[in-house]
Amino acid sequence: MQANRLLSVEEFQTCFAQPMRNVTENAEPVVDIWPYVDALDLDALGLPSVNDVNYVYRDAHERFDQVLIGTGRFNAILIVVVDRHLKTVLGHHLLDLNEAYGRQGDHLKPVS
C-alpha cells in the first residue's frame, strides 16, 4: 500500500483546475480510498474520527478527484486527492475552516 502523504497548501492548490464540478452523485471510484484513510494517524492530524464521504469534486481537466470526508472535529474536512490518470491516491489535505476563515477556536468541541 502507498504511504500516506500530507499535501501542503501549495501542493493541494495544484490539484484545482476551474471549474471544479460536484460529481458526488455519479462519481465512479478509480481507487478504493478507505485503506489509505484507515492507515492515517488521526491523532497526528488532530482528528478524533472520520465519517463518510460528503462530496466528490473533479477538476476541469478530469485529472483529480477531491474526496471530502467529514470528521469528528468541528469545521474540519479531510480531503483525499485521487489522481484519476494514475489510479492512485496522491495524498490528503486537512481543511480547517476555522483557520481558513480566521475564526477563533475557543468554541471548538468534538462532534459525534
Side-chain angles (χ1 to χ4, degrees):
M1 175 175 40
Q2 157 190 350
N4 291 330
R5 180 169 172 235
L6 178 61
L7 300 173
S8 68
V9 172
E10 294 78 18
E11 290 172 315
F12 179 62
Q13 288 175 344
T14 65
C15 300
F16 285 86
Q18 298 296 337
M20 298 292 288
R21 293 183 300 120
N22 182 342
V23 296
T24 307
E25 294 299 318
N26 56 8
E28 291 292 326
V30 296
V31 64
D32 181 3
I33 64 164
W34 292 108
Y36 180 92
V37 172
D38 289 342
L40 289 173
D41 182 348
L42 296 183
D43 288 334
L45 291 171
L47 299 175
S49 62
V50 293
N51 303 322
D52 293 328
V53 171
N54 292 333
Y55 298 100
V56 179
Y57 286 94
R58 184 166 297 152
D59 76 318
H61 302 301
E62 307 231 345
R63 171 83 190 257
F64 297 108
D65 278 353
Q66 295 182 12
V67 183
L68 283 64
I69 300 172
T71 72
R73 191 169 97 199
F74 184 71
N75 278 348
I77 302 166
L78 177 66
I79 303 173
V80 176
V81 179
V82 175
D83 185 322
R84 294 176 46 76
H85 293 171
L86 297 178
K87 296 182 168 67
T88 188
V89 174
L90 179 66
H92 63 280
H93 180 75
L94 184 63
L95 177 60
D96 184 325
L97 297 172
N98 293 316
E99 183 179 305
Y101 295 103
R103 301 280 317 230
Q104 295 296 326
D106 301 340
H107 66 286
L108 299 182
K109 61 181 187 225
V111 292
S112 53

